[in-house]
Amino acid sequence: MMTRQAITHLVCDCDGVLLDSESIALRVLHRELLPLLPAPAADAALHAAIANRLGMYTDLLLEEVDAEFGLGLSAQQVERLHESVGRACGEEALPVPGIAEALQAIRLPRAVASNSDAPRIESGLRRCGLYAQFAGHIYSAHDVGKPKPAPDVYLAAAAGFGVDPQRCVAVDDSATGVRAAAAAGMHVLGFTGVAHDRKAMARRLLEAGASKVFDDMKQFPQLICELVWLR
């Protein structure tokens, strides 16, 4: 029986773990897509469909929502939606409550692995005072291969450290991201602190492969400490 390697590095998703920006993306996408609904009565269903897909590559999210609701999105509309979401998140994102204090208490080298594009990640981290902690280890699925749930962006983060992915613990807030980190071979924690329905999301993250789920960043350092000393 193979013994799991000791945890030595931390890899964080960006939106929903470091930055409280997914609620902003949800608001912008819902606002922009609502006028395109063939049946206005589907307003609540559209909102739920977007919320359930947060964490996905935006192109795929829009493709699935377009197919489900018959929105008829053009390539120009998709590009404009990308720009609207990126601009709003860059200008309005706040740090997830308690993340700065949690990171200060965690001594592991850290990276970001996200489905968002690099400019959006960097602008959000700079706005929230977190950029310096991750500079040089920021990985976007736009740059490294397939987006989550493929493991590419998490594998890129481990490769950037020059370590086996099994030495990394990943923290993600979406089922898409948890599946990606698990597929990369990382130990995975699920975070639900900014989820719209924490209980439902906790179930989804555990089903996707998270070993534990937490909803308050005050718990984060202790969970990491337990993993570091786990043999």
Side-chain angles (χ1 to χ4, degrees):
M1 183 176 178
M2 186 174 66
T3 303
R4 189 174 188 93
Q5 299 182 52
I7 298 298
T8 57
H9 292 73
L10 170 65
V11 186
C12 299
D13 178 43
C14 186
D15 299 301
V17 173
L18 301 176
L19 309 183
D20 190 359
S21 52
E22 291 200 335
S23 60
I24 298 169
L26 173 59
R27 187 189 75 239
V28 172
L29 288 172
H30 182 250
R31 182 190 69 211
E32 298 292 325
L33 294 176
L34 188 58
L36 304 179
L37 274 180
D43 180 355
L46 174 66
H47 189 276
I50 298 169
N52 289 337
R53 290 173 171 85
L54 291 175
M56 290 176 65
Y57 204 53
T58 304
D59 283 346
L60 182 57
L61 182 156
L62 290 172
E63 180 181 322
E64 290 190 1
V65 171
D66 188 7
E68 182 174 342
F69 293 91
L71 303 176
L73 291 174
S74 67
Q76 288 180 326
Q77 287 173 310
V78 169
E79 181 62 28
R80 188 170 68 247
L81 284 163
H82 269 287
E83 292 175 357
S84 296
V85 170
R87 182 170 57 252
C89 289
E91 294 174 353
E92 302 174 35
L94 296 172
V96 165
I99 185 61
E101 294 82 359
L103 290 173
Q104 188 174 16
I106 296 169
R107 299 302 183 185
L108 300 182
R110 69 278 313 261
V112 173
S114 172
N115 269 354
S116 296
D117 61 66
R120 174 176 158 184
I121 299 168
E122 292 179 12
S123 65
L125 292 177
R126 288 183 188 280
R127 171 184 169 82
C128 294
L130 299 174
Y131 178 78
Q133 298 207 44
F134 297 95
H137 290 280
I138 296 173
Y139 299 90
S140 164
H142 288 252
D143 302 325
V144 303
K146 296 179 181 178
K148 304 173 187 179
D152 300 38
V153 71
Y154 276 115
L155 291 173
F161 288 129
V163 300
D164 189 314
Q166 287 194 31
R167 289 196 174 275
C168 300
V169 54
V171 186
D172 212 299
D173 70 310
S174 71
T176 298
V178 167
R179 286 196 294 270
M186 295 184 178
H187 197 104
V188 192
L189 297 175
F191 178 65
T192 63
V194 296
H196 294 277
D197 184 336
R198 294 185 182 187
K199 288 185 178 180
M201 182 56 70
R203 288 193 299 270
R204 292 179 64 196
L205 298 185
L206 290 169
E207 290 169 359
S211 61
K212 289 186 179 181
V213 173
F214 66 107
D215 64 3
D216 189 330
M217 281 299 171
K218 291 179 181 178
Q219 302 166 277
F220 192 16
Q222 181 58 37
L223 289 170
I224 295 297
C225 184
E226 291 171 1
L227 288 174
V228 168
W229 290 103
L230 184 64
R231 292 293 186 269

